[in-house]
Amino acid sequence: MSHLAQHDSELFTILEKEINREESTLELIASENFTSQAVMEMAGGVMTNKYAEGYPGKRYYGGCEFVDEAENLARTRLGELFNAEYTNVQPHSGSQANMAALMTFLNPGDTVLGLDLSHGGHLTHGSPVNFSGQLYNFISYHVSKETGRVDFDEVAQLAKEFQPKLIICGGSAYPRFIEFEQFREIADLVGAYLMADIAHPSGLVASGLHPSPMPFCDVVTSTTHKTLRGPRGGIIMMGKDFENPWGKVAPKSGRVKKVSELLDSMVMPGIQGGPLMHIIAAKGVAFGEALKPEFKSYTKKIIENAKVMADEFLKLDYQLVSGGTDTHLVLVDLSNKNITGKLAELSLGKAGITVNKNMVPFDERSPFVTSGIRVGTPAVTTRGMGKLEIQQIVKWIDQVISDSENEENFSRIRLDIKTMCSSFPIYKNI
Ligand SMILES: *Cc1c(COP(=O)(O)O)cnc(C)c1O
């Protein structure tokens, strides 16, 4: 870091503040994690300098022999990790991965089913402010009020009524396993393609602790930076490649035989230019880590910690959407606690606990206010925290939420958290 310190003290100081924030507060945002120093070394390395439009062996630029090796290795490792015949590691983010997949399988105006954003879906699953909602005719399905789980009667009814060309399963605030098999049955009933977006649980899927979408879904997308603990980015996979059923033409390559070729060409040149080779290589490092047995012990602890967290909340009379969790996240409905998601997020932030406000199903408040918070255990588990720490964390959260005006309390908790965090350092020599 000495280069940056000498070269640009302004940004160096900002970076130092961020390092200090990450080290000394509790990160409970379910979509965040701390990637390894090996991943960061690759992500911060010289491959950022390289232009490599195209794919390994078929680039539009010279000098790609080593980035080709990196991308090929990343693809192979990813295929092994998820048991996928086809992999694409170039999407810059989860949203880009979804855009490329949707644009491959659909034409503008086609009908799609996706989980409603306020019921745990994602912007790219048909929100009117996102490309997905603007390009396609999205129909939202929901979770049931009683169970907090996807209402499959409604999914089946909507599928029959609207005859979607594709159904998306998965979301950003769904605490339970994604029910790939049940979605497949409904997709088959109406001849729809099935796409899984496993952005959130992909690390758990990779370890076999969450069911795999591969046997049931035509195409699977994910981020690499959530439970998978890699650098920020996206990926696309297919369990099995299949013949191009639409006679679709790929940008630049013309008529092609396989859907894999369509996906590749939709990522580049369809929606992206030069790939982020430093990030692709860093994804490869993360996939290598995820293939090791230690990663499975890690993801097992994520789930154990989330279950402890859910139990502690229930003991303190908190309402949890779906009554608990199968995964890394807990969605807390604060309706009976006399506080909005917005105020809870703000107050917890002052106390050194980072969460995000989140709509709960059937929320009567706006997305800017909300009645809930989403909390997750991937990041605190990475720094080594376990049952005792999680129990203490829930106590702190409850103290803040029960007395959300008490600034003195926040300062005291913030100090206690700083002390606890110092026993669980994230990075050494940084
Ligand atoms: C996080 C997320 C994404 C998007 O990822 P970005 O990298 O932020 O674009 C897509 N889908 C789901 C379900 C997500 O949770």
Side-chain angles (χ1 to χ4, degrees), residues 93-96 98 122 124-125 170-172 197 199-200 223 225-226 233:
S93 71
S95 298
Q96 309 282 95
N98 284 350
H122 185 260
T124 54
H125 300 188
S172 300
D197 179 350
H200 262 266
T223 57
H225 48 274
K226 297 179 183 175

Side-chain angles (χ1 to χ4, degrees), residues 119-137:
H119 284 229
H122 185 260
L123 276 175
T124 54
H125 300 188
S127 162
V129 297
N130 182 259
F131 82 90
S132 56
Q134 291 170 14
L135 280 184
Y136 308 110
N137 174 35

Side-chain angles (χ1 to χ4, degrees), residues 81-82 198-207 221-229 235 237 295 328:
L81 199 53
F82 287 93
I198 58 168
H200 262 266
S202 53
L204 314 179
V205 173
S207 321
T221 59
S222 180
T223 57
T224 46
H225 48 274
K226 297 179 183 175
T227 50
L228 202 48
R229 205 164 63 176
I235 46 177
M237 301 177 278
F295 189 75
H328 60 296

Side-chain angles (χ1 to χ4, degrees), residues 377-388:
T377 52
V380 288
T381 307
T382 291
R383 61 193 302 176
M385 293 181 181
K387 187 173 177 181
L388 288 177

